[in-house]
Amino acid sequence: MSTQHPGTGRPEPAPGTTVEQLAAHLTALPDRDVAALLLARPDLVAPPSASFTALAVRAGARTSVDAALRDLDAVTVAVAEATVALRSVDPATLAPSLGLSADDVAGRLGVLTRLALVIDTGPVPGLVDTFGPHPFGLGPAAADPPAAEQLPPPLSTLEQADEPVPGIGVLKALTWGPPVGTLSPGRSSAGTAELVERGWLERTADAAGRTRFVLPREVGLALRGGRLTREPLAPPATDTLEVLSADAVASESVSHAEEMVRLTRELLTEWGREGGQILRTGGVGVRALDRTAAALGLERAVAASVIELAAGAELLGLDESGAAWVPADTVPAWLDAELPEQWAALAAAWAGSARTPWLVGTRADDGALRPVLGADVEAAWAGRLRRRILALLDSLPAGTSVDADWVHAALTFARPRRPLPEGAVAAVLAEAQLLGLTGGGALSRAGRVLAACLRPNAGAPEASTPAGSAAADDAPADAVGHPDNHYGTLLAALEQALAADLPAAPVDLLLVQSDLTAIVPGRPAPELGAALERSSEVESRGGALTVRFTPQSVRRALDSGWSATELTQALSRFSPTPLPSALTVLIADAARRHGAVRVREVASVLRVADPAVAAGIIADAALKDLGLDQVAPGVILSAAPAGVVLRELRAAGLAPVLENEHGRLLISERPGGGRRLPAPAPARPGNEHAVRRRRPGRRELAALVGRLRAGEEARRAAGGAGPMAATDPVHALALLRQAQASRARVRLRLAGPDGNVQERTVRVLAVEPGRVRLADLVRETELTVAVHRIVSVEAG
């Protein structure tokens, strides 16, 4: 026997609430409650309805009901489904089947009532349609319900019976759904005849001649022991989560924050030399991304996150030709700021971003690879997901460490009908750790400040944000990056939070060892930190900073304008002992080689004093892509830009420097300082004008409610309580679906091919995408009508 989901062939009872009953319920509500409903279900606002009856049609339609359910937690959704499965709105009836208290169920029913999903007469038609013919996997009610003493005991009891129960395998397969099983022609199932005789199964046949067995709803509930769900309705447990000390969280989060700022500075330096060239299809290509990842010493995915964060913080802009992303004119001010201020700009931009850098390198719907800073790396749900995760972590006790699986389970419980994109939760948590908003999986002090700033207004009406509605999720997005919503206050709060976790006293002590490593026993003072960043490579961070001096790192210091003497003096100033000879020799050797090759940006010219070095450059196969050509002894031309030439020569083991057209060295201590063109204004990738759902204000809501009441009075004055005609597609389809469920007659006015309007009295057979199948009761024929041909629908 195979189980499947098809209908049983027998119509379900009509839903408990009709459009007229819902309209009467809405009309009787106070204006404040109607306004709260419109605020909580914004799809009912635009376009506005002409009357409460029209509003009831829209509010009871499946599309609108689905949108409302997406913002309810698992328990509230289960209560809504239970009202459909048990045909009851009595908390005392629903509570035992869900394993909840009657008071809890009553509270959830209150939320559903405020959302106009369930009223005193029962669930609205759209709610019945949403959960389908088998809510909780239960079958339809029995045609001839068995008496209580004839119902089977729970399935667990049947399995432990001394004598085997005939057909118990069939019962086990159907108990938790789907409740319909089918047998192919000529096949049989042991024990089903006896089950049918007892009334525990119903036998039907489909058009293909297959035998279909249906487990009645009453029997299914009895076999389940009266329970609607297998597992308790509870969020994932928190007692198994590890709790870290405040010092451990602060230490790790600060380390990540410092590293994020350093990586951003390195990115700006790299893209100041050579920007991210934009593809013809938009975004920055893989070559530029790989080059950046290699320069920053990161994996491609992490490098993409750093690039997207810098762009989100308005540190990148388009060059004069619009062909490349380069450091923006905001960079000098950002570089001059203190660490907390630099970090706060990145964190605030992340919280309000709609970018999804973890999708870089994956394929879009059209099969093209998504590039970094491309329009395809953007999703409206990304910002909401970040805020939801921050709010979830903020709700846990301080120091609670979580992983992606636990967060995914918790978010799914909070919004079971809002599916989470695969991998998105883990990616957002990785971004939060990269930024230093978390440490060891626990929310940091700054992370809690950010979560608090993004929290919905505490004074919002309860009905407007039930169980964390979409309105609550969307509202804080405008507060991020918007000057009218205290963006400066957010930045100041983030700066103070990070500063509070930074070690109180910076350390100006450098312990240099003979193996070319050095240790700073604490957080380095700004001057020491700047010197080490220019001249060393970081090996580890934490309670102490460990760095290593390499030929490349020393060359970087010389590139920034220091001489060998100045570099030695800068490091000696912080060392309590003379610098080891290994380090001084390294600096002296790098200084001797530094500037042996000079690059003049023509596009480009290389001047090489040593003929042997020039010959080696021309012969080096690794440099063939530079298009080198020696036009005179010691003079080499290149078709590549000066920044590319510098990078490739350094990769080949040389130590070139940049000079201007007069042969003078160009030394830049800032990213992009060697560029001739002025820095551009900042720009953000993706859509320039993000579309946000605007929430109506009090006056607008009051006007909407007033128009609803005036429209309802006018409708009653014109037609009283007579049949309601729907003329727009949304209302018409809602009435047709209701008529299909109740098997009621309706009168249609249809536009024919010649433009003439015909009137038909029909019964609705099926409402399909773009069309409706009907049975004409007068002509006794079936017809299929395109939705756009329906002029009006009226109950018949």
Side-chain angles (χ1 to χ4, degrees):
M1 172 176 287
S2 63
T3 59
Q4 51 183 319
H5 283 283
T8 62
R10 185 176 65 251
E12 283 282 273
T17 298
T18 64
V19 171
E20 290 76 13
Q21 290 171 324
L22 180 57
H25 168 81
L26 296 176
T27 305
L29 291 176
D31 288 359
R32 178 179 179 182
D33 290 350
V34 178
L37 169 65
L38 297 177
L39 197 61
R41 295 178 64 176
D43 61 292
L44 301 180
V45 175
S49 300
S51 65
F52 278 111
T53 300
L55 179 66
V57 173
R58 294 176 62 185
R62 177 172 179 173
T63 303
S64 181
V65 169
D66 283 337
L69 290 175
R70 280 199 298 268
D71 302 307
L72 301 178
D73 63 24
V75 177
T76 308
V77 171
V79 172
E81 191 170 359
T83 63
V84 176
L86 301 184
R87 303 283 175 172
S88 173
V89 293
D90 179 18
T93 301
L94 302 177
S97 62
L98 295 172
L100 303 173
S101 68
D103 290 341
D104 191 5
V105 172
R108 309 285 176 167
L109 286 172
V111 172
L112 296 171
T113 300
R114 288 192 292 273
L115 290 172
L117 299 176
V118 175
I119 61 176
D120 291 342
T121 54
V124 299
L127 196 64
V128 178
D129 294 341
T130 293
F131 293 119
H134 305 140
F136 285 113
L138 292 171
D144 185 14
E149 60 274 9
Q150 296 175 325
L151 291 173
L155 190 60
S156 57
T157 302
L158 291 177
E159 291 178 321
Q160 297 173 2
D162 295 336
E163 297 183 5
V165 178
I168 190 171
V170 175
L171 295 179
K172 290 172 64 176
L174 302 181
T175 294
W176 290 101
V180 180
T182 301
L183 284 178
S184 301
R187 297 187 60 186
S188 61
S189 179
T192 53
E194 184 172 341
L195 294 177
V196 171
E197 184 178 351
R198 292 186 181 187
W200 293 1
L201 276 184
E202 293 185 355
R203 181 191 289 117
T204 61
D206 60 14
R210 296 176 300 180
T211 301
R212 179 174 295 165
F213 294 100
V214 181
L215 187 71
R217 185 166 301 183
E218 299 85 352
V219 177
L221 278 172
L223 291 171
R224 297 180 182 189
R227 293 180 293 123
L228 291 175
T229 61
R230 278 189 172 184
E231 302 296 333
L233 292 169
T238 59
D239 52 1
T240 58
L241 299 178
E242 182 182 3
V243 179
L244 307 178
S245 66
D247 290 342
V249 175
S251 175
E252 184 164 347
S253 62
V254 165
S255 176
H256 287 303
E258 290 178 320
E259 179 66 4
M260 183 65 229
V261 172
R262 185 191 72 81
L263 290 173
T264 304
R265 288 199 299 264
E266 290 293 323
L267 167 69
L268 297 173
T269 300
E270 175 64 22
W271 282 29
R273 299 191 189 103
E274 182 184 358
Q277 295 295 320
I278 298 177
L279 303 170
R280 286 183 299 175
T281 55
V284 175
V286 175
R287 290 185 179 180
L289 177 58
D290 287 342
R291 165 177 60 83
T292 305
L296 273 59
L298 301 173
E299 297 290 335
R300 180 188 290 179
V302 182
S305 294
V306 175
I307 293 171
E308 290 282 356
L309 282 169
E314 298 186 338
L315 297 176
L316 296 177
L318 299 176
D319 65 6
E320 193 174 59
S321 64
W325 288 90
V326 293
D329 58 6
T330 55
V331 169
W334 185 83
L335 291 172
D336 288 337
E338 297 293 331
L339 172 66
E341 186 177 347
Q342 292 175 326
W343 176 84
L346 298 172
W350 173 82
S353 173
R355 307 294 293 172
T356 57
W358 60 88
L359 295 180
V360 169
T362 62
R363 295 198 177 273
D365 294 339
D366 59 1
L369 290 175
R370 295 183 175 95
V372 66
L373 298 182
D376 287 338
V377 190
E378 187 161 321
W381 49 262
R384 179 171 58 245
L385 178 60
R386 290 186 176 99
R387 295 190 296 276
R388 289 184 62 193
I389 289 178
L390 284 177
L392 173 63
L393 298 184
D394 189 39
S395 68
L396 300 173
T400 302
S401 176
V402 299
D403 57 22
D405 291 339
W406 188 91
V407 172
H408 191 283
L411 293 179
T412 300
F413 181 85
R415 303 285 191 279
R417 298 182 72 87
R418 190 186 286 275
L420 298 169
E422 184 178 359
V425 171
V428 171
L429 289 175
E431 288 181 339
Q433 177 176 295
L434 179 67
L435 268 168
L437 291 169
T438 60
L443 201 62
S444 66
R445 184 198 305 264
R448 292 192 179 277
V449 168
L450 183 57
C453 290
L454 300 178
R455 201 173 293 144
N457 295 332
E462 181 183 3
S464 67
T465 55
S469 69
D473 283 339
D474 291 344
D478 294 331
V480 181
H482 197 292
D484 295 336
N485 287 291
H486 312 293
Y487 179 57
T489 303
L490 170 63
L491 290 178
L494 291 174
E495 294 168 19
Q496 294 173 4
L498 182 65
D501 280 343
L502 290 172
V507 176
D508 59 0
L509 178 63
L510 180 65
L511 304 176
V512 186
Q513 304 180 65
S514 59
D515 63 351
L516 297 180
T517 61
I519 298 175
V520 180
R523 180 169 66 94
E527 188 177 357
L528 174 57
L532 293 178
E533 183 176 343
R534 296 166 70 180
S535 62
S536 65
E537 305 288 349
V538 175
E539 289 201 334
S540 67
R541 297 181 184 271
L545 172 66
T546 303
V547 299
R548 179 177 293 277
F549 297 97
T550 66
Q552 293 78 17
S553 67
V554 172
R555 187 191 64 210
R556 189 170 65 242
L558 299 176
D559 288 342
S560 68
W562 275 350
S563 66
T565 301
E566 291 171 335
L567 175 58
T568 303
Q569 290 176 349
L571 297 177
S572 299
R573 188 179 308 123
F574 301 102
S575 176
T577 60
L579 296 181
S581 59
L583 179 56
T584 58
V585 169
L586 174 65
I587 295 174
D589 184 59
R592 279 194 301 271
R593 301 180 61 208
H594 192 257
V597 178
R598 297 191 173 196
V599 176
R600 176 181 301 176
E601 187 171 11
V602 176
S604 302
V605 176
L606 286 71
R607 294 196 300 118
V608 188
D610 190 340
V613 174
I617 292 176
I618 295 295
D620 194 342
L623 303 177
K624 63 179 182 179
D625 291 338
L626 296 179
L628 300 174
D629 183 23
Q630 187 170 7
V631 297
V635 181
I636 301 174
L637 299 183
S638 172
V644 176
V645 174
L646 287 171
R647 186 183 73 248
E648 295 299 327
L649 292 180
R650 286 167 179 162
L654 300 172
V657 294
L658 187 67
E659 66 178 18
N660 65 10
E661 62 271 22
H662 303 294
R664 295 176 182 174
L665 293 184
L666 284 178
I667 301 299
S668 173
E669 299 183 10
R670 293 190 178 278
R675 289 186 295 110
R676 297 181 183 178
L677 296 177
R684 289 190 177 183
N687 298 324
E688 293 184 7
H689 306 289
V691 178
R692 298 191 185 279
R693 185 170 57 199
R694 188 181 66 84
R695 301 177 67 192
R698 290 185 178 179
R699 292 184 178 180
E700 186 176 353
L701 287 172
L704 288 173
V705 176
R707 285 198 290 268
L708 287 171
R709 295 206 182 279
E712 189 67 17
E713 291 177 2
R715 192 192 74 83
R716 291 183 176 180
M724 176 194 61
T727 56
D728 64 278
V730 174
H731 298 185
L733 287 174
L735 281 180
L736 290 171
R737 289 192 179 96
Q738 180 184 349
Q740 179 189 2
S742 61
R743 298 183 61 78
R745 293 185 176 193
V746 292
R747 287 199 300 273
L748 293 185
R749 298 180 71 238
L750 305 175
D754 56 358
N756 294 326
V757 176
Q758 308 171 2
E759 186 169 310
R760 301 283 190 96
T761 300
V762 300
R763 197 181 305 278
V764 182
L765 301 178
V767 180
E768 301 170 351
R771 61 183 186 177
V772 183
R773 289 198 301 112
L774 308 167
D776 191 313
L777 301 181
V778 177
R779 296 174 173 83
E780 296 184 352
T781 59
E782 288 191 13
L783 68 158
T784 300
V785 178
V787 173
H788 68 270
R789 288 183 53 202
I790 299 177
V791 177
S792 67
V793 180
E794 188 175 349

